[in-house]
Amino acid sequence: QVQLVESGGGLVQAGGSLRLSCAASGRTFSGYIMYWFRQAPGKEREQVGGISSGGSSTFYGDSVKGRFTISRDNAKNTVYLQMNSLKPEDTAVYYCAARRVGKNEYDAWGQGTQVTVSS
């Protein structure tokens, strides 16, 4: 089973940037599709986007498309979320999740990291 730990959250002004990291340990990282989710207070969890196991394909939710970029380094067992042009509505706890290729359910979730964007 893979274990996930996010880092990189913090407080940033609107228009600024942050890069989140999600470090994985355990089973072979390259066998997992990786996702980023976020959840703001009082709102449902929202999928931010994801990246294929090899890193060649990414997808994003409409609310972050063009501003956020997901990448991964399989040699470092890490997936990244580069967030640019941040808006106050991006404020949320951000989580990474892993799903093994060919499975329908998620195998693991990180503990989350808080991102706060001030106006």
Side-chain angles (χ1 to χ4, degrees):
Q1 187 78 344
V2 66
Q3 291 86 40
L4 305 175
V5 178
E6 301 97 335
S7 61
L11 174 64
V12 64
Q13 287 190 331
S17 298
L18 276 178
R19 188 176 82 156
L20 305 184
S21 299
C22 172
S25 60
R27 298 191 58 169
T28 306
F29 179 67
S30 60
Y32 291 87
I33 302 167
M34 298 299 297
Y35 300 83
W36 285 97
F37 289 84
R38 67 185 182 184
Q39 188 164 21
K43 294 189 176 181
E44 297 208 347
R45 186 174 61 196
E46 174 188 14
Q47 186 180 86
V48 174
I51 187 166
S52 60
S53 58
S56 61
S57 178
T58 55
F59 56 92
Y60 301 93
D62 288 342
S63 61
V64 305
K65 206 171 290 184
R67 299 187 298 122
F68 290 11
T69 302
I70 298 173
S71 61
R72 66 190 294 163
D73 184 340
N74 284 349
K76 295 183 177 180
N77 287 3
T78 303
V79 62
Y80 304 97
L81 177 64
Q82 177 67 44
M83 305 184 292
N84 298 329
S85 302
L86 282 161
K87 305 174 182 180
E89 51 263 44
D90 294 318
T91 295
V93 178
Y94 284 72
Y95 301 89
C96 61
R99 179 171 68 83
R100 239 175 301 173
V101 175
K103 288 188 66 176
N104 291 326
E105 65 274 14
Y106 295 99
D107 290 271
W109 292 82
Q111 84 288 352
T113 186
Q114 175 71 46
V115 172
T116 303
V117 184
S118 64
S119 56

